[in-house]
Amino acid sequence: MQTNTADTSDSSPPAVLQQLTLELYRRTGVEVWLLRLDRLHALISGNKGFKLKYALADAASSGLQRIVSFGGAFSNHIHALAYAGYERGIETIGVIRGEPEYAKNPTLSDAAGWGMRLYFVDRATYRQKSQADFLRQLEDRFGTFYLIPEGGCGPLATRGCSEILDWVPASRREGFDLIGAPVGTGGTLSGLIASKPARSRVLGYPVLKGADFLYRDIRQQLALAGVADPGGWELQLDAHGGGYGRVSSQLAAFIAALDRETGIALDPVYTGKMLLRFNQQVVQGEIRAGSRVLLLHTGGLQGLRGMAKTLYDRRQAFQGALPL
Ligand SMILES: *Cc1c(COP(=O)(O)O)cnc(C)c1O
């Protein structure tokens, strides 16, 4: 794991802008840069630090000593929140979708080790995560708390994520035709849209199947953050590879091959799906020669722990050419 920190006062910030050189890009005349958000912090990986920054500040100024949030058993958001709470001496409670056995997995063991209390609920209960009744029950159980919605979303997340592109050196920021990022809730994308240079197009790669509802959600997130939608953004709705958390043999083989070629690790839930789909677009000629592209490496590598065997088995089953 990288040990750089996100301290912007450091005179030598971590090298977060990195050209990705692949034979495919050379052949097609496409220039691709990765913004390595995975390198910004050893434990709060990727986009989650940006998503949490202003919510944590707001929680602190609200005077509430306790934060409740929601996530799945391998959630990067829950992992990041647990560490951020530990660092700041704020009590955290994670409402987790699934069985208590998950507490033993690497993500939740870390979280518990940083003092997060884990509260497991079944799927039906979890679906009530934004309902007043359920939130009141949580308050009866845990005491008053500051609520951070699932995935850390909300206007404060949009604001935090609008600082992501600050990590691109100013002289380069205007130069990208296309800025791409994987999409879960769309919080990160909303910040990119809010801060993109006028000439750049933003393309989000949702990892959920049937994610056209995200157009509405993202517009709403922009509105709540008080940002006028500048347009110039789109969602690539066919990047999900079968649905959330599904790992095809092609995806597993692609991730392994990319790591071998470039030494860059991607996770199969978010960044792997984005890059596989992007590279297929390049192969299909959907990305014009001469295009300069910025793709966000949003982190998520903590979630890889415990997946090595699955990924290995999957990629053994793959035969065929990979878009590299
Ligand atoms: C959470 C996460 C995303 C999705 O971010 P949203 O703001 O929910 O769209 C993308 N990549 C990684 C690695 C993540 O952990």
Side-chain angles (χ1 to χ4, degrees):
M1 218 173 210
Q2 305 287 336
T3 51
N4 295 323
T5 69
D7 185 358
T8 44
S9 65
D10 192 330
S11 57
S12 56
V16 290
L17 187 64
Q18 172 187 23
Q19 187 167 11
L20 185 56
T21 51
L22 293 178
E23 171 55 25
L24 169 65
Y25 303 153
R26 201 194 52 74
R27 199 166 69 233
T28 52
V30 171
E31 191 179 307
V32 179
W33 295 77
L34 272 187
L35 191 61
R36 299 286 307 269
L37 303 182
D38 59 312
R39 286 185 167 171
L40 292 182
H41 190 288
L43 293 163
I44 301 181
S45 162
N47 57 345
K48 296 302 186 278
F50 294 93
K51 293 190 79 174
L52 286 171
K53 176 179 171 184
Y54 290 107
L56 291 167
D58 192 41
S61 59
S62 74
L64 295 168
Q65 296 302 314
R66 186 177 296 121
I67 295 176
V68 167
S69 197
F70 299 85
F74 300 89
S75 167
N76 296 322
H77 162 66
I78 286 292
H79 192 260
L81 176 64
Y83 185 75
Y86 166 73
E87 213 177 25
R88 289 166 177 74
I90 303 172
E91 191 186 325
T92 56
I93 294 151
V95 181
I96 310 298
R97 182 186 53 227
E99 302 297 318
E101 289 99 85
Y102 282 128
K104 295 190 217 92
N105 83 25
T107 302
L108 296 182
S109 316
D110 280 356
W114 293 321
M116 178 178 264
R117 287 168 72 184
L118 302 173
Y119 180 56
F120 292 90
V121 298
D122 61 29
R123 280 168 185 279
T125 310
Y126 190 86
R127 260 182 249 120
Q128 304 171 31
K129 60 190 178 292
S130 24
Q131 288 176 17
D133 268 1
F134 181 53
L135 295 174
R136 234 179 339 264
Q137 282 171 34
L138 289 175
E139 209 154 66
D140 290 343
R141 182 178 288 264
F142 297 112
T144 51
F145 55 77
Y146 184 91
L147 175 72
I148 298 184
E150 183 186 41
C153 273
L156 297 176
T158 301
R159 185 169 153 208
C161 291
S162 69
E163 297 176 1
I164 290 175
L165 294 177
D166 294 350
W167 284 90
V168 178
S171 58
R172 315 289 299 274
R173 220 169 285 155
E174 301 288 324
F176 294 103
D177 303 290
L178 184 66
I179 300 173
V183 174
T185 61
T188 302
L189 206 76
S190 70
L192 288 179
I193 294 165
S195 59
K196 78 179 187 67
R199 65 174 294 269
S200 308
R201 200 157 62 86
V202 166
L203 185 56
Y205 294 80
V207 299
L208 297 170
K209 197 150 121 181
D212 38 335
F213 68 89
L214 281 169
Y215 276 108
R216 196 194 54 228
D217 274 19
I218 290 170
R219 283 190 196 108
Q220 193 175 9
Q221 291 179 59
L222 289 169
L224 288 172
V227 176
D229 184 350
W233 62 277
E234 254 177 285
L235 298 173
Q236 186 70 36
L237 291 170
D238 60 358
H240 55 77
Y244 183 80
R246 296 287 174 85
V247 184
S248 68
S249 59
Q250 183 191 30
L251 177 61
F254 176 74
I255 287 172
L258 189 89
D259 194 352
R260 208 162 48 234
E261 294 272 317
T262 65
I264 296 168
L266 300 178
D267 81 291
V269 180
Y270 291 105
T271 54
K273 282 189 178 171
M274 167 187 67
L275 195 67
L276 175 57
R277 190 66 192 94
F278 173 78
N279 281 7
Q280 289 167 339
Q281 290 176 289
V282 175
V283 168
Q284 288 155 10
E286 290 167 31
I287 309 291
R288 264 185 291 109
S291 297
R292 196 168 290 156
V293 180
L294 179 70
L295 298 176
L296 263 55
H297 191 317
T298 44
L301 299 174
Q302 71 82 21
L304 275 175
R305 296 171 299 172
M307 287 190 71
K309 170 94 173 72
T310 311
L311 288 173
Y312 178 82
D313 291 347
R314 287 287 152 77
R315 69 178 183 257
Q316 295 309 306
F318 182 72
Q319 288 176 337
L322 290 168
L324 287 165

